[in-house]
Amino acid sequence: MTTPPQIYINDTTLRDGEQAAGIAFSLDEKVAIATFLDTIGVQEMEVGIPAMGGDEAQAIRTMANLGLNAQLLGWNRAVLSDIQASIHCGLTRIHISIPVSDIQIQVKFQGQWANMFKQLQGAISFARDHGLEVSVGGEDSSRADEIFLLEAAQFAQQSGAFRFRFCDTVGILDPFSTFEKVKKMTAALAIPVEMHTHNDLGLATANALAGVRAGATSINTTVNGLGERAGNAALEEVVMALRQIYGLKTNIQTERLLELSRFVAKTVNCPVPPWKAIVGANTFAHESGIHAHGVLNNPSTYEPFDPKEVGWQRRFVVGKHSGRHLLSQVLQNYGIQLDASNSQRLLNAVRDLSTQLKRSLTIDELLTLVSQENIGVAIT
């Protein structure tokens, strides 16, 4: 299956990311995140919901005046007042969301899909008359009738939308069904398709990639996978998967992904789990004796790519699963030659303490054990 030469990242950390329960960015924080994303090469950002007014509108207006290289996008309903709010914020590109599943149309348009189409057409016409570029998104695309979904996407295209967003709003798809659904859409449309995937089943990144395999050329992401409920497709995961698996360009400075992740995590006061892909603290940390021995000989034995590509440095830590080879290597870095005849005794002490503490040991703890056991001599 062929894939496009380049995928556009439309990051929605400042919109869908902020909709995560308990998250609220200040104006300064929004500006800082937008500036960071722009600096590392993110091509497009969904920066908020202008119709909220107040501080939200002020933040969007401030970002619109920054002169960023990235395209900025505001999220709207198919409501003229929403679009007017986007105009007042200084945006020239907007996204209009419409419900496309039976359950969403019933709740939001009392089941009257024809009224929804009419309202969408009026909203697009109004926006284009005011010089705006318009993206249209199908809310709950994954649960929509496929024939109706294609009709809605084609209607948006005919009405002047420059892109259609396929939304797995409640994160129910797997990559196989995603591919089949999106393939039908890309085959039926002349405008690009964008992927918007949620992580309710832990498949947001996989489903976004499946959409790309099916011909989608744009992906919504959030830093650290921040977002509603279980979150969205993580920027760092999507960018590195596109690069490592498919060799696709995003023009994003991947060596700053760790820095970006830590910045956003600090901003939202929500630490990144150590096992988190790409940016978690354990991503390039090696404790297991077999793995550490392999990496010491050839890093590619147990690392999918060079840690420097995402801003990390390789780490070796000692703990319950460490072996004598790793223990010796770590101690040599601190000027200590491990006494081979007593190395097993030190290793047993390391494993016992690590089990008690339920974690790997710090260097100070390791050196204390060496001193207590009187096992090692200084390298001269």
Side-chain angles (χ1 to χ4, degrees):
M1 188 64 59
T2 58
T3 52
Q6 184 171 14
I7 298 299
Y8 290 91
I9 299 298
N10 177 11
D11 190 84
T12 185
T13 300
L14 297 173
R15 198 276 298 178
D16 208 340
E18 192 184 23
Q19 288 178 205
I23 303 300
F25 295 127
S26 69
L27 186 152
D28 288 343
E29 288 168 344
K30 281 207 166 193
V31 167
I33 292 171
T35 302
F36 203 138
L37 290 169
D38 184 66
T39 299
I40 68 169
V42 170
Q43 300 100 327
E44 190 172 4
M45 293 177 232
E46 194 168 52
V47 291
I49 305 174
M52 288 178 63
D55 292 342
E56 175 80 348
Q58 180 60 42
I60 295 171
R61 191 176 299 111
T62 301
M63 287 183 282
N65 290 328
L66 290 175
L68 302 178
N69 293 317
Q71 299 266 21
L72 302 188
L73 194 82
W75 188 95
N76 303 262
R77 299 165 296 176
V79 176
L80 298 189
S81 59
D82 279 25
I83 297 167
Q84 288 173 329
S86 289
I87 295 170
H88 292 155
C89 286
L91 295 173
T92 59
R93 174 176 282 213
I94 65 169
H95 179 77
I96 296 176
S97 178
I98 56 168
V100 290
S101 68
D102 288 343
I103 187 171
Q104 295 285 352
I105 295 173
Q106 182 61 47
V107 169
K108 297 177 180 179
F109 284 89
Q110 296 73 52
Q112 301 300 311
W113 59 265
N115 289 343
M116 183 267 288
F117 277 176
K118 182 178 180 181
Q119 193 164 318
L120 173 62
Q121 186 175 43
I124 294 176
S125 295
F126 179 81
R128 285 176 59 81
D129 286 346
H130 285 78
L132 304 181
E133 294 181 276
V134 181
S135 164
V136 171
E139 184 181 14
D140 215 12
S141 296
S142 49
R143 293 192 293 182
D145 175 83
E146 290 189 4
I147 295 176
F148 180 79
L149 175 61
L150 288 178
E151 289 177 351
Q154 289 171 332
F155 183 85
Q157 175 180 276
Q158 293 163 5
S159 299
F162 74 87
R163 184 175 63 207
F164 188 85
R165 178 182 292 178
F166 179 96
C167 301
D168 185 16
T169 300
V170 292
I172 61 164
L173 292 182
D174 64 84
F176 307 101
S177 54
T178 299
F179 177 86
E180 294 299 328
K181 290 175 181 290
V182 176
K183 185 62 180 175
K184 293 174 182 177
M185 179 166 289
T186 57
L189 296 177
I191 58 175
V193 172
E194 180 171 75
M195 298 302 300
H196 182 92
T197 55
H198 278 267
N199 207 39
D200 296 78
L201 296 177
L203 294 168
T205 296
N207 288 338
L209 295 178
V212 169
R213 293 281 286 180
T217 56
S218 178
I219 301 177
N220 282 159
T221 63
T222 60
V223 179
N224 296 335
L226 191 66
E228 291 268 14
R229 303 182 311 281
N232 296 44
L235 170 67
E236 59 279 1
E237 294 176 13
V238 167
V239 169
M240 291 308 295
L242 289 172
R243 177 172 168 173
Q244 295 297 319
I245 299 173
Y246 299 131
L248 294 180
K249 298 177 180 179
T250 58
N251 293 328
I252 289 174
Q253 299 175 29
T254 61
E255 65 275 8
R256 298 194 67 186
L257 288 174
L258 176 60
E259 182 186 357
L260 173 64
S261 168
R262 288 174 170 174
F263 178 76
V264 172
K266 182 178 180 181
T267 300
V268 301
N269 194 29
C270 188
V272 174
W275 49 84
K276 168 73 174 66
I278 311 299
V279 293
N282 287 353
T283 308
F284 293 97
H286 304 281
E287 175 187 316
S288 166
I290 294 174
H291 283 218
H293 188 269
V295 171
L296 284 167
N297 283 280
N298 182 347
S300 65
T301 53
Y302 291 106
E303 290 178 351
F305 52 86
D306 191 322
K308 293 179 181 178
E309 292 185 29
V310 292
W312 272 117
Q313 288 187 338
R314 183 178 301 112
R315 292 190 302 123
F316 294 100
V317 297
V318 295
K320 177 182 178 180
H321 304 96
S322 298
R324 284 176 290 182
H325 186 80
L326 173 61
L327 206 56
S328 296
Q329 182 70 34
V330 171
L331 288 174
Q332 283 180 21
N333 293 334
Y334 289 86
I336 297 174
Q337 180 69 52
L338 187 62
D339 185 340
S341 62
N342 293 315
S343 60
Q344 188 62 48
R345 183 153 56 96
L346 177 60
L347 185 60
N348 291 340
V350 166
R351 289 173 174 172
D352 288 344
L353 182 57
S354 179
T355 300
Q356 293 173 25
L357 297 174
K358 295 189 179 298
R359 58 171 173 80
S360 57
L361 304 187
T362 67
I363 289 300
D364 285 344
E365 289 166 342
L366 175 61
L367 295 178
T368 297
L369 282 181
V370 171
S371 176
Q372 290 173 346
E373 298 290 336
N374 192 25
I375 297 173
V377 295
I379 298 174
T380 58

